Amino acid sequence: MGLDKARAWYVISLRPQGEHAALRRAAARMQAGVIALSPWALAPRRDASTRNALQAALMADVVLFTSPAAVRFAATLQPLEARATQDWIATGAGTRLALHRAGIARAIAPTRMDSEGLLSLPALADLHGRTLGLITAPDGRGVLAPALEARGASVRLAEVYERLSITLPPAAVQHLEALVQPACVAITSSGALQQALQQLPPQAAQRLRACAAITASARLSALTKQEGFADVVQAQGPRPSQLMLAANAWFSHRIR
């Protein structure tokens, strides 16, 4: 599909393959287009070791999911059922919604949707003598497990899916190189940004760095500046609506 010349500006999505729909909807509300530049795909883990790790994690005193994908893939392995004595925690509103849809009505999530916001939750303040099930992907929220262990938790790790590097879509790379409209790139993952920059031809990588970077956290803002982006705008959080509100505010003063 070619670019829509009627669009005033574009957002480049680095979401995993097939995971762009929510960002497309949020962008459409701002009359913006989307270029889907997926550097990886998500794949479930279904082996016996993963199933056993998940079963143990779901029996912990505290059960923590790091993403909607973690909820989705865990639920394909076994039903999610909360015991009355457990605390179920999501890293953000999207993950909490995914848990609600999977049947967990009382999961909590921080208002500030990053690792610092998560670790400020009272339920995670003192974990001495408690087990904590961390349902995630390899390298998912890498700072969390050490921080939780430092608070006394016995962490039970269940990596229920993985991110597989894929070749960037050639059509999307061509669209990026040919883009004449203003554009931003939505950044919610440092790994996705680094994967994309490693794969892009020099001209396309230069074009990407010329875009405004809309980031989901202060940590990502700092990393994005290190990667050579001059215009970096931090959104209120990682949700598509938050990213697009920040992007729209940025472009509203620059597009006539």
Side-chain angles (χ1 to χ4, degrees):
M1 183 182 294
L3 296 179
D4 182 352
K5 302 298 185 182
R7 297 295 190 186
W9 56 277
Y10 274 83
V11 56
I12 297 154
S13 173
L14 303 179
R15 296 288 302 160
Q17 187 179 61
E19 302 280 329
H20 304 282
L23 192 62
R24 286 188 190 280
R25 291 192 296 269
R29 290 193 289 270
M30 307 292 181
Q31 285 73 55
V34 170
I35 297 175
L37 194 71
S38 297
W40 53 29
L42 304 183
R45 289 181 163 185
R46 297 192 177 96
D47 57 279
S49 177
T50 298
R51 292 177 185 274
N52 291 337
L54 176 61
Q55 185 176 35
L58 293 177
M59 294 297 291
D61 300 317
V62 182
V63 182
L64 172 58
F65 286 81
T66 62
S67 68
V71 177
R72 184 170 74 248
F73 288 119
T76 66
L77 295 176
Q78 72 171 80
L80 304 184
E81 299 177 357
R83 302 196 315 271
T85 56
Q86 288 179 308
D87 292 315
W88 283 59
I89 301 175
T91 52
T95 306
R96 180 174 57 188
L97 178 60
L99 282 170
H100 182 77
R101 289 171 174 167
I104 307 300
R106 56 182 180 83
I108 62 173
T111 302
R112 177 179 168 182
M113 289 181 282
D114 57 17
S115 296
E116 291 75 14
L118 181 69
L119 291 169
S120 71
L121 288 174
L124 297 178
D126 184 1
L127 296 168
H128 286 87
R130 306 194 78 192
T131 55
L132 184 143
L134 183 60
I135 295 90
T136 186
D139 301 321
R141 302 276 179 161
V143 302
L144 272 184
L148 295 166
E149 288 172 343
R151 295 183 179 194
S154 175
V155 175
R156 300 176 180 179
L157 183 64
E159 297 173 334
V160 295
Y161 72 104
E162 56 191 324
R163 303 177 181 93
L164 303 178
S165 180
I166 60 174
T167 301
L168 293 174
V173 175
Q174 292 170 6
H175 291 167
L176 174 61
E177 292 176 328
L179 192 61
V180 295
Q181 292 98 328
C184 66
V185 54
I187 300 174
T188 59
S189 163
S190 59
L193 175 61
Q194 290 162 347
Q195 288 260 1
L197 288 171
Q198 289 169 9
Q199 284 199 55
L200 284 171
Q203 180 180 345
Q206 183 178 5
R207 181 67 183 89
L208 188 69
R209 288 188 172 96
C211 297
I214 312 299
T215 70
S217 69
R219 180 183 64 84
L220 286 170
S221 291
L223 181 141
T224 301
K225 291 174 183 176
Q226 292 173 6
E227 291 289 352
F229 287 79
D231 297 321
V232 178
V233 180
Q234 185 178 330
Q236 290 296 312
R239 300 179 73 177
S241 59
Q242 294 171 317
L243 295 166
M244 290 303 93
L245 280 173
N248 190 57
W250 169 261
F251 283 119
S252 64
H253 301 296
R254 290 164 177 80
I255 299 175
R256 303 298 182 190

